[in-house]
Amino acid sequence: MSDAAAVLDDLRSESDELDLLVAELSTGQWAGPTPAERWTVAHQIAHLTWTDEVALLAVTDPDAFAAEVAKAQAAPDSFVDQAAEELVAEEPAVLLARWRDGRDRLQRALRAAPPGTRIPWYGPPMSVASMATARLMETWAHGQDVADALGAVRAPTARLRHIARIGVRTRDYAFLVRGIKAPDDEFRVELAAPDGEVIAFGPEAAAQRVTGPLYDFCLLVTRRAHRDDLAVTALGADAGQWLDIAQAFAGPPGSGRAPAGDAPGGGARGGAR
């Protein structure tokens, strides 16, 4: 559990940072639009609340979670929106308290899970560390939507390494979810962290490569910014195609974000479902 505990610590820190952004907002600010089409700040927190609660269900009651998966399969294009809409009806203070309680209960459940636990999910089952990483990725991504809506600037942190890792690990999924055969060869990914460290994935001698700032790569794989607005570059046709479709979350990719200066194009709501 040592690796999982470290990710869970970072998940708590990421959640606390977002909490500081929304804790003192007025009712009007909670209702303000975010870059995700038709989603307000309240929708973003509602979605995180719902996902924490279904993740807790997956950890503590797999049979009940299976019923949630059946609901998703019956309405694959709308179940996420429906869940968010139901929670948005709550008063902001009630929603905020529910999000805090749910993420705390999920933390405790994941920390108490026996070694080797596999948690069912909407995709393949996950380890505790993988579930914590997925929750961190989604918290950061939706937190970016909130920050953008509020005009807040968040300093990149070392926690971005977790998001980059899941972005690389989901490379093949990004191809397969679009009905494209995934490349046979691994890519080399080299990302420059804010402290100057290079975070690297894949064989050093790989012919196809992706390079750029760690922060920009995380925006790319969470579909929070358009590739044209990021300093992430590819060497090789397959690597270039990946940068157009990369996503660190399960489920449909959504329309993504339009390049800066273009008309708003709607948003990938994103997140490990």
Side-chain angles (χ1 to χ4, degrees), residues 55-215:
L56 178 63
L57 198 65
V59 176
T60 60
D61 192 343
D63 290 339
F65 175 72
E68 293 297 320
V69 174
K71 291 179 186 177
Q73 292 171 338
D77 297 326
S78 60
F79 78 102
V80 170
D81 285 334
Q82 289 171 358
E85 289 294 343
E86 290 174 5
L87 290 177
V88 163
E90 302 277 9
E91 290 294 326
V94 174
L95 177 58
L96 180 59
R98 183 167 172 174
W99 175 47
R100 288 169 172 168
D101 177 65
R103 73 188 202 234
D104 182 63
R105 287 188 292 134
L106 178 60
Q107 275 272 344
R108 285 181 277 134
L110 290 173
R111 289 180 187 275
T117 293
R118 302 294 295 177
I119 303 166
W121 199 235
Y122 294 98
M126 291 193 285
S127 67
V128 170
S130 293
M131 174 61 81
T133 301
R135 298 307 309 127
L136 192 157
M137 175 273 295
E138 190 165 22
T139 301
W140 182 84
H142 289 280
Q144 187 65 45
D145 290 339
V146 172
D148 288 344
L150 299 175
V153 177
R154 301 189 301 171
T157 73
R159 298 189 294 271
L160 293 177
R161 290 167 169 79
H162 302 301
I163 300 166
R165 184 177 297 109
I166 197 172
V168 170
R169 292 182 64 183
T170 53
R171 184 201 74 167
D172 289 0
Y173 178 80
F175 283 91
L176 296 174
V177 77
R178 292 166 174 80
I180 305 170
K181 183 182 182 297
D184 293 326
D185 297 333
E186 292 186 67
F187 300 161
R188 177 69 170 182
V189 178
E190 295 182 351
L191 306 171
D195 62 4
E197 181 184 358
V198 175
I199 310 300
F201 305 91
E204 191 170 357
Q208 302 210 49
R209 311 175 75 84
V210 168
T211 59
L214 175 64
Y215 175 68

Side-chain angles (χ1 to χ4, degrees), residues 15 18-34 38-49 84 87-100 103 142 145-146 149-150:
S15 299
L18 176 54
D19 197 309
L20 288 174
L21 276 181
V22 301
E24 302 300 327
L25 295 182
S26 67
T27 300
Q29 288 173 309
W30 276 88
T34 67
R38 299 186 303 277
W39 274 26
T40 65
V41 170
H43 283 89
Q44 302 288 348
I45 300 303
H47 175 69
L48 292 176
T49 301
L87 290 177
V88 163
E90 302 277 9
E91 290 294 326
V94 174
L95 177 58
L96 180 59
R98 183 167 172 174
W99 175 47
R100 288 169 172 168
R103 73 188 202 234
H142 289 280
D145 290 339
V146 172
L150 299 175

